[in-house]
Amino acid sequence: MGFVAARWRRPGSMDSLDEWGLGGRGFGGWVTWFLIGGDLYTAYTFVAVPALVFGAGAAGFYAVPYTIIVYPLVFLVLIRLWSVSHVHGFVTPADFVRARFGSPTLALAVAVTGIVATMPYIALQLVGIEAVLKTMGVHGHWPIVIAFVILAAYTYQSGLRAPALIAFVKDVLIYLVIIVAVLYIPTRLGGWGDVFSAAEAKFAKTPAPGDGILLDGTNQLNYAMLALGSALALFLYPHSVTGVLASKNRDVIRRNMSALPAYSLVLGLIALLGFMAIAAGIAPVVTGGKADTNTVVPLLFDAMFPDWFAGVAFAAIGIGALVPAAIMSIAAANLFTRNIYKEYIRRDATARQEAAVSKVVSLVVKVGAVACILLLDPEFSIDLQLIGGVVILQTLPAVALGLVTRWFHRGALLAGWAAGLVAGLWMLYEIPNAAKRKEHFGGSAFKLSDLGLDTATTVYAGVLALAVNLAVAAAATLALRTAGIADGADATRPDDYLADEGDPKTGRMELTGST
Amino acid sequence: MASTEPAAGNPPPRPARSDRSAWNLLLAVPVVVPLLTFLFNHDGPRLAGLPAFYWMQFAFIPLGVTCTAVVYRMTRKRG
């Protein structure tokens, strides 16, 4: 399938990042819909969100408001990134930061943050596949390695075209499975009323205060902030930016933003599978003495569906992992090539060399992700992903706010980024998880009482860290301006942010400034 | 929610075109409403057995689609 994609809309040459890494920047409405959808709704989502609902109830449902909030934000903000990238030939968010603030250092910070946050995300796609394999009784790692070799081969050859085409197959399968599951499983369990009664009974028996089919007083703020923070983080991830930049024109993106929420519906239904698993009396697979709640959805399918349909469902989860993993590795490779290789290693790299480096790096990134799974405890990969979300949020002032205002000083953005990272990592370190017997990195809900406030309320650590980041960036901007420290030059013009298909392009980005 | 505000920083002196529109304000609705947990954090009224917490959040999806689609229609470049 992926190799066929190489022939699809074959360009004259695959020797530039525009072609390999952005599919020629010519994707229309349907392809973009599948591509962005394939990007954002990953195997890990299908497995982890219901697992969270299975374990904690209502708190896991945050995925629904989160995916509703994200589209209006993109509609206004990310659309400007498309335009300015179109004019200047940017491939990554760090390219934009480089030109906007005239600072390779800030661009490097954004690029490294993006790569660091993406790696565990790719690794988690493998956790999704692993959950399916565990259910089928396959233990060991070699099937994952094989899946990744295939993935690596077709991405290397076809670039972004491959996942775009496979995303179509993936979505058809997922929609089919979910619609059948949601219509069929509750009737076997006696209807939605019974499903929720069973869930209520289960949560009533657990000692944890935060679970239940409704939120309690202390985690409501966390629920809202987690939804907001995740939405903000989502479109800062380099792979979602890749999906947006690959589309043909502004209209395609804007139209898509009102069509993409169809996925939210599916995501919500998938989340409810967690409750169905409770009602069906599913007990997660236990390996090495630890229950893996990620296996509840595959187990539910296995218990409820005839074998052949469970097979289709498992295939859907498997393909659902490969598509985003491919897009993410391409995005990470582009970041390395554009903002590290070309900036610091080889200034005069040609478009052909850039594409060649990106192809190789995309392989390295995938090997790194496989190593994450093979060498680390998957539990630890999940921690890394948690950290990744908080980390990527720290690029918001430079990337997202940079799209609407040039007010911040480049030095201040760097200071804010560093302060946000330190604050975010400290908070995550301080969060214990009693249920998993962990003292650190036990979740993302930071207790405000740890800051000396007299309340049991918890807040998403990422949003607090972002607040620190913004406060430092704003204060430092004022300080640096007062001190008269030189700011970088802005290579973009206000009109660039509104450009559309057919507008003149300046082509290669101008490399001005050196700090 | 600073990132939802349209270019407040440095407006172009003579804008050849603009992405500003009063219609954009409508986009605040699907951003803010799903965050107001007190609106939907209730068990009743249930709909086909689904507690209000769940079906109301499902209902926010068409709300978001409607708002985005309306803004898209009204701010679309004509011609």
Side-chain angles (χ1 to χ4, degrees), chain A residues 370-445:
Chain A
V370 174
C372 267
I373 289 291
L374 299 186
L375 306 176
L376 302 174
D377 181 357
E379 190 72 31
F380 189 61
S381 313
I382 294 168
D383 292 343
L384 287 178
Q385 152 67 6
L386 183 75
I387 297 168
V390 173
V391 161
I392 197 77
L393 262 182
Q394 305 317 319
T395 62
L396 181 135
V399 179
L401 294 188
L403 286 169
V404 289
T405 172
R406 181 60 180 74
W407 182 76
F408 290 102
H409 190 286
R410 61 180 177 185
L413 285 171
L414 211 51
W417 171 80
L421 280 185
V422 171
L425 292 178
W426 173 75
M427 280 186 276
L428 289 175
Y429 181 80
E430 289 288 306
I431 299 169
N433 188 327
K436 289 183 186 161
R437 294 189 298 276
K438 287 163 72 170
E439 281 183 44
H440 304 295
F441 297 113
S444 61

Side-chain angles (χ1 to χ4, degrees), chain A residues 61 64-65 68 223, chain B residues 34 40 52-61:
Chain A
F61 209 68
V64 172
I68 296 172
Y223 185 85
Chain B
F40 51 80
F53 181 81
Y54 300 92
W55 68 256
M56 281 185 76
Q57 291 189 76
F58 272 116
F60 294 154
I61 300 174

